[in-house]
Amino acid sequence: MNTPTPPLSPASESQLRLLAVFHFIFAGLALLGLVFLGLHYMFLDKMMDLAAQDPGQQPPPEAFLELFIWFYVVMGLFCVLGAVLNLLAARALRARRHWMLCAVVAGLNCLQIPVGTTLGVFTLVVINREDVRSSFRD
């Protein structure tokens, strides 16, 4: 049964819209981080190839290269996961749905110092207000 939710104040409406925009921006920054990670990998790969071609230098050990490949894979997955979760949270904030998803994404964003922490804290403050929380439909 659908129960009507009380209307939000204009300030809360505005803050939810802003938070959704900032979550979209943060998702874009995560994708930009993925591009940076790819460029960094290409740079490191080229440097390792040049070091292996130099006859006076000993090539880097294979385990070193494998470790870095796994580092890039894990960091790339974190970037993709962060982008997807922030996109979902932004859409949920705009629709005022899935309060728990928004809270979890805000908490995870708090781990990304300093911009993510700011976004996460402000998101948690706004969505935990009684009028805002009651306006979410789950």
Side-chain angles (χ1 to χ4, degrees), residues 2 14 16 21 34-35 64 110-111 125 130:
N2 267 343
S14 172
L16 282 173
V21 167
L34 190 62
V35 170
F64 178 76
C110 286
L111 298 173
V125 166
E130 191 59 41

Side-chain angles (χ1 to χ4, degrees), residues 29-136:
L29 288 175
L31 292 177
L32 189 63
L34 190 62
V35 170
F36 172 77
L37 199 62
L39 291 173
H40 193 275
Y41 172 75
M42 290 189 319
F43 177 75
L44 181 71
D45 188 48
K46 184 67 173 173
M47 295 304 289
M48 292 299 168
D49 285 344
L50 290 175
Q53 292 174 0
D54 190 3
Q57 293 275 354
Q58 207 170 21
E62 283 296 318
F64 178 76
L65 296 176
E66 288 178 17
L67 176 71
F68 268 97
I69 288 173
W70 279 108
F71 170 77
Y72 287 112
V73 167
V74 169
M75 293 307 292
L77 289 175
F78 279 143
C79 286
V80 169
L81 182 66
V84 168
L85 286 175
N86 275 290
L87 284 173
L88 291 173
R91 292 188 63 197
L93 283 168
R94 283 191 350 195
R96 276 190 256 146
R97 298 193 57 150
H98 309 295
W99 182 91
M100 185 60 72
L101 170 73
C102 295
V104 168
V105 172
L108 290 173
N109 283 345
C110 286
L111 298 173
Q112 300 179 34
I113 299 169
V115 177
T117 303
T118 306
L119 178 60
V121 167
F122 283 135
T123 301
L124 287 171
V125 166
V126 170
I127 68 172
N128 277 310
R129 282 195 218 129
E130 191 59 41
D131 62 332
V132 175
R133 189 167 184 173
S134 66
S135 72
F136 272 75

